[in-house]
Amino acid sequence: MKPTLLVLAAGMGSRYGGVKQIDAVGLHNETLLDFATFDAMRSGFGKVVYIIRKDIEKDFRERLFDRVARNFDAEYVFQTPEAWLTAEQQEKAASRKKPWGTIHAVLCAEEAIKTPFAVINADDYYGRMAFETLGKHLTTLPVDGTEHAMVGFILGNTMSKSGTVSRAICTVKDDYLVSMKENTKIGYENDKIISLIDDKKIELTGKEWVSMNFFGFSPKAYEEFHIFWEQFLSENITSEKAEAYLPEGASCIVSKGKGKIKFYTSPESWFGMTYPEDRAIVKTEIAKKIENGYYPEKLWEK
């Protein structure tokens, strides 16, 4: 059974200042998502499902989806503000404009997921090694399996010179995840790496293992994601900004004894589309990989 790639592509891009999910970075106007999808296809994945917002559908189809769908089994679903909220909850959250977060996005794709699946961000570059690692794990994972997985990266390899990043710092023991904690503002302060939590500065070494939202789950994980989501709503339904984060939902699977998460690692250095300045860096890095033969000059045949 070939696994599915699930792509979180419904973010607002507030720091980037545009729809970064479909910004061209390749030699033939390919997006960063083209390269992620290509890597997944080459690594044994059988399908890709993109989670998007309704307001970007037209541009998404024209600038990415239609091209991918001619070459690979592809589908997209919408993350809408009212999904997985009761009428009463929608009324309480009527003034909210910010998306509900990555757990909510994954829940919005539940009906499209029939096989074990990997989850990635739309605006991060992971490298083919990570796809090969998770693809191999997921191919042997039953649909009701509880041996989930993730690929962790070294914090120092995932920093941006343009501003802060959001990373979940991982605690690992014997190659399995123990816990994860989302740090939403990690950045450089002179030569130090600082995480700002509740206005308190915490210095990090840069050697910590972090989540880049590259997880592998069986569909059984949805049972716990629903429980996590309902608990989140009970505490945050009137919040304008609180988000249900996938790393914390995944961590609950472990802490509640409902499954394990095998912790794989990658030495790859991250690049991605967090800030406007990042686009030039991404284009340069992609061009280098094409020049070195890692990618063909033109990804898709059609």
Side-chain angles (χ1 to χ4, degrees), residues 30 35 38 42 128 290 293-300:
E30 295 96 343
F35 293 95
F38 183 84
R42 286 286 181 93
R128 196 171 302 152
I290 293 171
Y294 191 87
Y295 294 113
E297 180 180 328
K298 190 173 183 179
L299 280 187
W300 308 111

Side-chain angles (χ1 to χ4, degrees), residues 23-61:
D23 228 350
V25 295
L27 300 183
H28 296 275
N29 294 321
E30 295 96 343
T31 70
L32 201 53
L33 269 184
D34 279 289
F35 293 95
T37 304
F38 183 84
D39 282 341
M41 182 180 71
R42 286 286 181 93
S43 302
F45 285 75
K47 180 181 180 180
V48 59
V49 177
Y50 303 104
I51 307 168
I52 68 169
R53 305 191 314 270
K54 284 186 176 180
D55 62 293
I56 69 168
E57 181 182 13
K58 183 176 182 294
D59 286 340
F60 178 79
R61 291 195 65 105

